[in-house]
Amino acid sequence: MKETTLNNIAEKCGCSVTTVSRVINGNSERYRISAETAEAVMAEVTRTGYIPSFTAQSLQSKRSWMIGLLLPSIANPYFADMASHIVSELYKSGYTAMLVDTMEDAARLDRSARALLLRHVEGMIAVPCGQDSSVLEMVGKKVPLVLVDRFYENSSLSYVTTNNFKGGYDATRLLIGAGHRRIACIQGELDSMPNRERVRGFLKAMEEEGFTGYASLAGDEFSVQNGYLSTKMLLFRKEPPTAVFALSNNIMLGALKAIRESGLSVPDDISLVSFDDNLYMDYLTPSITRISQPVENMAKLSVKILLDHLDHNGNVSAGSQIRLLPSIIQGASVAKI
């Protein structure tokens, strides 16, 4: 049986090969192809069982319409939410995301970024991990690259992030305003820029009130287990904290489990504040007071910056470095003492 080609489909539908290619790639609206023509092309594709050669198309058109998306943990609701917004925004412009979970591993991030280049992605959006920016700096010289959520110090790579210092500071001021002094901050990845900035905000607020001696720092990763184990250890102290500031939603869940297992109640026995927002926090008992990051705006801005680079063939000046403001969402997990 003779293999179906784009030429066969174009001849059958009475249109050009270019039109057929654009319909198959989901770009009918982008190029104002009529619904009648698009339906005819797709009907013929279905009838013949035609499967396009992605490699051949990329080599011929020099376009892959693929964007690499590197995230540290798609199991984390925060990054899953961010991925959803990024994928949606890319789709609106005719691009498909190629998602890679780097599992908070810097070596895996570097290997994955190189692998995406070999697959001819036209650009990348990445949440970096580790402190060595050399591989992503190299990538940024070959294709447009935007960092989101995290960034590297002393790097010209474009990024969109939250003002994590302000978030950490505001959360701590909220607890201090409720009368708390012995406040424990359970942190995430130690070399993560957002983590370091949140801790800096926490310590600054404690220092301003002369409470530095009451501040506790614990933990080393953005995981439920870290929140659970760190809180367990904190509660066994002679003078346990009266409040816990968890630097991620996963850490908060672990902390909440440890508190309940210890026979304590939030907020009657201990107050709890989380960094990051998610709808499920309103359905916990009690609802959780948290610092909300503008995830949707971060995602949309990262895609906009990337597309601006692509539209100008990479000639957009580097240094689009944006920090958005966080906000406080009041729950019922903080009590005055």
Side-chain angles (χ1 to χ4, degrees):
M1 184 175 178
K2 189 176 180 180
E3 183 180 355
T4 302
T5 67
L6 287 178
N7 284 320
N8 299 146
I9 297 173
E11 184 177 348
K12 182 73 175 178
C13 297
C15 60
S16 69
V17 171
T18 300
T19 296
V20 172
S21 178
R22 287 171 175 172
V23 170
I24 291 174
N25 287 316
N27 292 314
S28 298
E29 292 184 10
R30 182 185 180 93
Y31 291 101
R32 299 180 180 178
I33 298 170
S34 71
E36 182 181 359
T37 299
E39 287 174 8
V41 168
M42 292 310 298
E44 186 64 14
V45 167
T46 302
R47 187 187 71 80
T48 59
Y50 173 73
I51 299 176
S53 169
F54 174 76
T55 302
Q57 284 183 331
S58 297
L59 291 174
Q60 184 177 15
S61 68
K62 296 183 180 180
R63 298 295 304 270
S64 69
W65 296 98
M66 298 292 294
I67 300 296
L69 177 55
L70 296 153
L71 298 175
S73 173
I74 57 175
N76 187 324
Y78 170 75
F79 290 118
D81 187 27
M82 178 174 288
S84 176
H85 290 301
I86 290 174
V87 169
S88 177
E89 285 301 302
L90 288 172
Y91 180 78
K92 292 175 184 177
S93 297
Y95 291 91
T96 299
M98 188 177 291
L99 175 62
V100 178
D101 188 336
T102 63
M103 301 181 182
E104 287 286 7
D105 184 323
R108 188 185 295 265
L109 170 73
D110 292 348
R111 289 196 303 272
S112 298
R114 294 178 188 275
L116 287 171
L117 281 180
L118 293 175
R119 284 159 176 78
H120 305 291
V121 297
E122 295 189 30
M124 291 188 209
I125 296 176
V127 179
C129 50
Q131 299 187 65
D132 183 0
S133 65
S134 58
V135 170
L136 289 187
E137 294 277 3
M138 176 274 293
V139 169
K141 293 177 181 178
K142 296 181 180 295
V143 297
L145 170 68
V146 180
L147 305 181
V148 63
D149 183 67
R150 307 175 185 176
F151 62 95
Y152 295 109
E153 289 183 288
N154 304 316
S155 170
S156 62
L157 290 173
S158 296
Y159 66 74
V160 182
T161 188
T162 302
N163 188 326
N164 287 281
F165 169 82
K166 179 172 173 55
Y169 179 86
D170 289 349
T172 310
R173 294 296 312 181
L174 184 149
L175 289 169
I176 291 172
H180 295 277
R181 291 189 179 188
R182 296 199 308 274
I183 303 173
C185 175
I186 304 180
Q187 58 182 328
E189 306 292 334
L190 302 184
D191 60 2
S192 161
M193 173 61 70
N195 183 78
R196 295 202 301 271
E197 286 294 284
R198 293 169 196 177
V199 169
R200 189 167 71 86
F202 165 70
L203 293 175
K204 178 65 175 177
M206 295 294 280
E207 179 188 6
E208 287 180 350
E209 295 296 324
F211 294 166
T212 302
Y214 297 102
S216 299
L217 271 176
D220 58 5
E221 64 180 20
F222 293 113
S223 69
V224 174
Q225 184 182 43
N226 174 48
Y228 175 78
L229 296 177
S230 297
T231 304
K232 276 287 191 182
M233 295 181 67
L234 287 164
L235 294 177
F236 272 104
R237 289 184 175 182
K238 184 178 180 181
E239 289 189 318
T242 62
V244 169
F245 177 24
L247 294 197
S248 80
N249 47 14
N250 279 345
I251 293 174
M252 178 277 296
L253 287 174
L256 186 59
K257 180 182 179 183
I259 291 168
R260 288 175 174 172
E261 280 189 0
S262 300
L264 300 175
S265 172
V266 176
D268 295 335
D269 299 308
I270 186 167
S271 290
L272 180 62
V273 172
S274 176
F275 210 109
D276 292 338
D277 178 29
N278 196 287
L279 183 61
Y280 75 81
M281 294 187 187
D282 285 328
Y283 294 91
L284 293 175
T285 304
S287 59
I288 304 299
T289 295
R290 66 267 195 188
I291 299 297
S292 175
Q293 301 192 71
V295 178
E296 183 175 357
N297 287 339
M298 288 168 63
K300 288 183 175 181
L301 274 170
S302 67
V303 171
K304 178 172 174 45
I305 293 171
L306 185 77
L307 295 183
D308 282 348
H309 279 269
L310 288 168
D311 289 343
H312 292 82
N313 297 315
N315 293 324
V316 176
S317 60
S320 300
Q321 300 177 338
I322 301 171
R323 300 192 192 201
L324 303 178
L325 291 176
S327 58
I328 296 176
I329 296 180
Q330 294 279 2
S333 61
V334 176
K336 291 187 177 183
I337 61 172

